[in-house]
Amino acid sequence: MSLCLCSDPGGVRLVGQPSRCAGTVEIQHQGHWRPVGDHFKDWDLKSGSAVCHHLDCGSAVSVNTTDDSTDRPVWFVSVPCVKLTSGLRDCVGLDDSYHEKSAVAVVCSDLLPQPNISLSDGVFEVYQQGFRVLVGSDFTVTCSVRPQYPGGSFQLISNTKKRLNLTLPAVNHSAHFLLSAMGYAHRGNYTCVYHVDVYNRSFSSSQSPALYLTVGDLVTNLIIRVVVLVSALLIFDLCLFFFYKVRSHLSSVDPLDFRLSHTQESELDMCAAMFVPGLREADPNEGGDKRDESCGRNIPFVESQWFSVSPADIWIGSTVSQLNQ
């Protein structure tokens, strides 16, 4: 547990405790920080509250006298003066020769720091001053506080149509409130309050900053998704249209335009088979073109070779044909 040694420009502080709003009263006077002695035991809640107000820590909830093992220099402060004026240092005695074992210890009401509040584990987005949560989703509100005292609990409060007032124990100085099935009744402000028992008293922090939640309409989200999907499909269709259009244009000027009907292909196959070696004996005295009456076309005769037409021959023939035309 860390000790707080805090001061303000006014030269008054509370030291020795984890909170800046609790501890031994020290005042800076004549360039020296010294505790305030309580020789006459006349410090009470009213004079202690003057210290708390000066430090912006609320009011005093306890004023005690601590005892040290040895004498030490202390400041003597006029309690009647403190009750009449807010200038604590103006009430310090001029004699700096006081030595005491005792000192004044004050605990203020605003002992605890303001907790933090946040949203997590839900389908949400930042919306103006708060968050938009998708209707029907689960979400978690987290309350946390700066480590000072162990234990304690967090209280979650809302001003929604369906008001919430939930309490969970603090674990590692935080608590997680799981809220299910976000609906319009959850729309509103959420705040956290931290509670802890110290110094044999129960303390509560001030409320955290408000966390505003609104609800995202599911229909609106679906419409947005449908519009995006339709736009994507239209773009895809346009791409396909232009792709096939370009491909069709390239096919219309393809030099390998060698299309035959089924009948022509059959005739060509029959004619070629007649000149396949092994199926018909070729007359060595005959050369040039042979006309087969059943085919009705001239087929070049190549001795002892298979009949074949390479793609290059087709392309050259097609090109020559186009030039002749």
Side-chain angles (χ1 to χ4, degrees):
M1 183 182 297
S2 61
L3 300 182
C4 181
L5 188 63
C6 309
S7 63
D8 71 329
V12 180
R13 65 189 183 187
L14 298 176
V15 300
Q17 296 297 329
S19 172
R20 58 175 293 273
C21 294
T24 302
V25 181
E26 288 190 353
I27 293 179
Q28 187 182 38
H29 183 64
Q30 296 179 351
H32 300 284
W33 283 98
R34 293 180 183 177
V36 174
D38 190 19
H39 180 73
F40 299 103
K41 309 294 182 181
D42 54 359
W43 275 78
D44 56 15
L45 290 178
K46 186 173 182 179
S47 53
S49 292
V51 176
C52 294
H53 292 321
H54 187 84
L55 297 175
D56 194 22
C57 288
S59 58
V61 296
S62 71
V63 176
N64 298 307
T65 301
T66 63
D67 291 324
D68 201 351
S69 58
T70 58
D71 286 344
R72 55 182 173 175
V74 297
W75 296 121
F76 172 75
V77 177
S78 172
V79 172
C81 173
V82 171
K83 294 180 179 180
L84 293 175
T85 177
S86 60
L88 290 171
R89 292 192 304 168
D90 296 336
C91 300
V92 177
L94 298 179
D95 189 355
D96 62 352
S97 62
Y98 294 102
H99 287 72
E100 291 279 349
K101 292 183 179 180
S102 62
V104 177
V106 176
V107 176
C108 302
S109 59
D110 292 349
L111 178 75
L112 304 176
Q114 186 183 47
N116 300 314
I117 186 170
S118 60
L119 182 65
S120 61
D121 298 337
V123 181
F124 62 88
E125 60 182 355
V126 178
Y127 174 74
Q128 294 180 355
Q129 301 301 320
F131 296 89
R132 185 200 302 272
V133 181
L134 184 63
V135 65
S137 65
D138 301 338
F139 62 100
T140 301
V141 176
T142 299
C143 301
S144 60
V145 70
R146 177 168 52 87
Q148 279 189 350
Y149 302 100
S153 62
F154 287 94
Q155 182 182 10
L156 179 65
I157 306 170
S158 73
N159 65 351
T160 57
K161 183 177 180 180
K162 183 179 179 180
R163 294 183 177 273
L164 296 178
N165 194 338
L166 306 174
T167 301
L168 287 177
V171 178
N172 294 327
H173 309 288
S174 64
H176 307 280
F177 295 86
L178 175 61
L179 303 178
S180 301
M182 179 66 174
Y184 293 101
H186 293 98
R187 181 170 50 193
N189 288 317
Y190 294 76
T191 55
C192 294
V193 178
Y194 177 55
H195 307 277
V196 69
D197 294 336
V198 289
Y199 307 117
N200 297 321
R201 294 177 179 270
S202 296
F203 289 89
S204 298
S205 70
S206 59
Q207 289 188 348
S208 68
L211 175 69
Y212 179 73
L213 298 183
T214 186
V215 182
D217 191 353
L218 183 59
V219 176
T220 302
N221 286 276
L222 287 177
I223 292 175
I224 294 175
R225 293 181 182 180
V226 169
V227 170
V228 172
L229 179 60
V230 170
S231 300
L233 289 175
L234 287 175
I235 295 174
F236 179 74
D237 289 341
L238 287 174
C239 292
L240 286 179
F241 171 77
F242 285 111
F243 171 77
Y244 283 110
K245 187 174 181 180
V246 171
R247 183 175 180 181
S248 176
H249 176 71
L250 293 177
S251 298
S252 64
V253 296
D254 191 356
L256 298 177
D257 190 11
F258 189 71
R259 302 180 180 88
L260 296 174
S261 65
H262 179 71
T263 304
Q264 291 173 331
E265 291 176 354
S266 300
E267 293 178 354
L268 182 59
D269 292 340
M270 292 174 60
C271 297
M274 295 176 65
F275 292 91
V276 174
L279 296 180
R280 177 183 174 183
E281 290 293 335
D283 187 355
N285 297 323
E286 294 179 356
D289 294 337
K290 291 292 184 179
R291 175 177 296 274
D292 183 83
E293 297 298 332
S294 64
C295 295
R297 63 183 69 212
N298 290 328
I299 300 177
F301 174 77
V302 181
E303 183 177 1
S304 301
Q305 292 184 357
W306 291 90
F307 173 76
S308 64
V309 180
S310 67
D313 297 331
I314 297 174
W315 181 83
I316 294 173
S318 177
T319 304
V320 173
S321 177
Q322 292 180 7
L323 293 175
N324 292 336
Q325 291 177 0

